[in-house]
Amino acid sequence: MSGQPTVCWEASADLVVVGSGVAGLTAALEALELGLRVLLVTKDVADAGSTRWAQGGIAVVLEDGHEPGDTVDRHVADTLAATGGLAEPDAVARILADGPSAVSDLRHRGAVFDAAGDGLALAREGGHSAFRVVHAGGDATGAEVERALLAAAGGVGVPMLTGHVAIDVVRAGGDRGPVVGLRVLDGAGRLGQLRAPSVLVATGGYGQLFDSTTNPDTATGDGVALAMRAGALGADLEFVQFHPTVLYTGAGARGRRPLVTEAVRGHGAVLVDSTGRRFMQGVHPLADLAPRDVVAAAITRRLAATATSCVYLDATAQTDFPTRFPTVFASCRAIGVDPLRDPIPVSPAAHYSCGGVLTDTEGRTGVPGLYAAGEVARTGLHGANRLASNSLLEGLVVGRRAAHAIATDRLGPRALGCALPGTVFDQVPMADRDLVQRAMSRGASIGRDGVGLAAASDAIEAGTSAGAVTSRAQVEDAALTLLAQAVLAAAGTRTETRGCHVRTDFPLTDDTHQRASLLVGLNEGQLTVRTADSARVGAA
Ligand code: SIN
């Protein structure tokens, strides 16, 4: 950081957690219980991330409450069927098997789910062959998860620095050795140095790469950028999932748009076009409840065929809509739509980053001491298209597993006491967020092609200049710029259509040559893309 202030303050811990969503809070709580000194840093107020916006719920086959005949094996099979041939069967089985106990821990920490009779109410969403999604407040599951975890963290006194943005992970030995800490900027722009042998990034995804998204404006890919700059690999970055049913709030609407949860379709609503015609029948055996990539692509084709900007979700038969989906109901009413009488206007928008920092199912990256969990990470659970409501589950499971891995790895005493080496965060390329969003939305949405991807890359490169990072806005712009180029590089390399990566110039799936993850690295400022035979950490 040329021209940066010198370090103004310091702190130390056994583990620094970056991010205060479901994965970060779960990891921090678990690590504290395991006896680690934990410090959590988050760039905004604690509940400003994506977790609180999650609606549908948590997909899980609970021992004490599931649809008759449903099993974890069926959940595994549904996940593998939805993920475009790129999910890792071992990772899927391991993570989903831990789901029931992770949800049970969450309930012990205070989360309350909607009940039906003696048990929990179960919903169904796209790609699921059973009712297995537990929810809270009807369609406010993420808000309840975030509330409960923050209350639990407050209750046991997890030290938390809000308004602190991470700028670089520090490694010993000329940036080749293990992690020795993390540098952050505080709210006053002062540089702080957190000495710790373990850093867990849990910063969420990069939906803000696009000008229309369900994600809050904090979702700028900071953790992926942080980890890649520290030497970790990104994987499956090209698989940006577009949620099919996001409330259409008018032409040119930018920023976060309200979600209309898939559970609305699970509850019986159907998609129709501007003429009132259903169009999902015949597209997939599950019709309106097909996996998300299938529905989003079908809507995109329908919009093109009818030269319209939105399709409609007809839920007018659902007389319980206001109580079953209070969040969606309020969003609709705010734009003058009454779901009891009017079909709801919807169109796809960027929703979830299926890829991220390459980790194992314990959150370990390839860099000793650096861990990742939640949407920021690529564990192998989501492949080319995440199954609905597997994301909160992954945050709970892998957050917990990562805490145990960190306690087991016990990287503690080695790093403490030594001076943190000089910064590597110098002259960072960054472009303006608006420019990046417009370029990515034009060239890298659903229905990409080689020409559009190259044009997006050129536009971003032309708008990029290098500079020191002295504010949160610059951290975010730099992260978005790196992520945009990484996504474009991977999307340009993948000359096929698979999952949520839809290429109009390569409309077929090429299982013979391309059924493998792409790994993206950053070496001396240059992005590299290569195919992994196996994308497991260690094999990379
Ligand atoms: C939804 O409620 O439709 C979104 C849930 C998810 O993204 O898994």
Side-chain angles (χ1 to χ4, degrees):
M1 285 181 305
S2 310
Q4 283 284 297
T6 49
V7 171
C8 298
W9 55 274
E10 287 197 359
S12 72
D14 298 325
L15 166 65
V16 173
V17 175
V18 190
S20 50
V22 58
L25 287 169
T26 301
L29 281 161
E30 198 76 21
L32 202 75
E33 281 172 19
L34 292 167
L36 299 184
R37 291 181 309 134
V38 179
L39 180 58
L40 190 148
V41 296
T42 189
K43 69 180 175 181
D44 206 304
V45 295
D47 66 349
S50 294
T51 296
R52 71 174 267 243
W53 297 103
Q55 291 188 355
I58 304 177
V60 65
V61 182
L62 293 173
E63 279 139 30
D64 60 343
H66 54 261
E67 186 181 299
D70 197 15
T71 59
V72 173
D73 285 350
R74 255 177 80 180
H75 188 184
V76 168
D78 289 348
T79 299
L80 292 174
T83 42
L86 277 200
E88 292 183 14
D90 283 0
V92 174
R94 215 170 293 147
I95 291 170
L96 298 188
D98 273 6
S101 63
V103 171
S104 165
D105 279 5
L106 178 65
R107 293 172 76 187
H108 283 120
R109 289 187 166 127
V112 178
F113 292 97
D114 295 335
D118 290 343
L120 294 183
L122 298 174
R124 191 170 163 203
E125 293 181 19
H128 288 277
S129 64
F131 283 76
R132 65 164 74 100
V133 177
V134 297
H135 48 85
D139 57 4
T141 313
E144 173 59 7
V145 170
E146 185 74 18
R147 181 206 64 73
L149 290 174
L150 279 175
V156 295
V158 171
M160 194 180 300
L161 298 175
T162 57
H164 286 63
V165 64
I167 56 170
D168 67 341
V169 172
V170 187
R171 296 178 63 177
D175 296 327
R176 292 210 169 77
V179 166
V180 290
L182 180 81
R183 262 188 285 252
V184 300
L185 288 176
D186 66 17
R190 297 179 323 148
L191 187 62
Q193 183 155 274
L194 310 178
R195 295 171 185 276
S198 310
V199 171
L200 171 81
V201 289
T203 51
Y206 42 89
Q208 285 287 328
L209 275 183
F210 296 85
D211 59 17
S212 183
T213 173
T214 60
N215 293 185
D217 62 10
T218 50
T220 50
D222 306 3
V224 184
L226 205 64
M228 284 179 66
R229 289 198 191 97
L233 291 170
D236 293 339
L237 296 178
E238 66 275 32
F239 299 110
V240 177
Q241 184 174 68
F242 283 70
H243 196 290
T245 59
V246 182
L247 191 63
Y248 179 72
T249 51
R254 304 197 67 210
R256 197 187 71 78
R257 278 168 46 201
L259 187 64
V260 180
T261 173
E262 288 194 6
V264 172
R265 275 175 285 138
H267 205 50
V270 293
L271 284 159
V272 295
D273 67 13
S274 53
T275 68
R277 182 172 161 262
R278 288 186 68 176
F279 57 88
M280 283 309 299
Q281 289 160 315
V283 172
H284 188 278
L286 291 172
D288 295 89
L289 277 176
R292 199 167 279 178
D293 56 339
V294 175
V295 182
I299 292 175
T300 305
R301 288 194 301 272
R302 200 77 208 135
L303 295 179
T306 54
T308 49
S309 304
C310 65
V311 294
Y312 296 87
L313 196 50
D314 188 347
T316 51
Q318 297 178 11
T319 52
D320 62 347
F321 197 101
T323 48
R324 175 64 185 85
F325 303 112
T327 311
V328 178
F329 188 72
S331 301
C332 291
R333 297 301 289 142
I335 60 160
V337 170
D338 179 357
L340 294 172
R341 288 184 331 178
D342 312 318
I344 303 166
V346 292
S347 65
H351 180 60
Y352 192 84
S353 314
C354 298
V357 183
L358 181 66
T359 69
D360 65 13
T361 53
E362 268 70 45
R364 291 186 188 89
T365 71
V367 175
L370 182 62
Y371 303 78
E375 188 175 354
V376 70
R378 182 275 188 202
T379 57
L381 175 63
H382 307 312
N385 174 57
R386 175 176 64 85
L387 182 67
S389 287
N390 269 357
S391 54
L392 290 175
L393 186 77
E394 186 188 44
L396 291 170
V397 169
V398 182
R400 187 175 68 170
R401 291 172 77 103
H404 285 264
I406 290 162
T408 305
D409 294 348
R410 271 286 170 196
L411 298 169
R414 176 196 63 214
L416 297 177
C418 65
L420 292 183
T423 182
V424 293
F425 204 66
D426 202 20
Q427 293 301 303
V428 182
M430 58 187 123
D432 172 71
R433 182 188 296 216
D434 267 15
L435 181 147
V436 171
Q437 289 176 338
R438 287 184 199 282
M440 292 297 286
S441 301
R442 220 172 13 245
S445 295
I446 303 173
R448 311 159 162 180
D449 63 26
V451 174
L453 292 168
S457 183
D458 289 348
I460 292 167
E461 197 176 321
T464 298
S465 54
V469 170
T470 57
S471 68
R472 168 177 158 183
Q474 288 172 327
V475 169
E476 292 178 338
D477 283 354
L480 285 170
T481 304
L482 175 60
L483 260 297
Q485 294 294 19
V487 168
L488 291 168
T493 304
R494 186 172 291 284
T495 51
E496 62 160 356
T497 288
R498 182 183 295 277
C500 44
H501 171 71
V502 179
R503 284 201 53 163
T504 52
D505 50 351
F506 294 99
L508 302 180
T509 300
D510 173 10
D511 272 337
T512 310
H513 302 105
Q514 300 194 57
R515 189 173 171 169
S517 289
L518 293 175
L519 307 180
V520 185
L522 187 62
N523 294 321
E524 311 208 333
Q526 296 303 310
L527 287 170
T528 58
V529 182
R530 67 190 163 89
T531 303
D533 285 341
S534 162
R536 305 304 296 265
V537 174

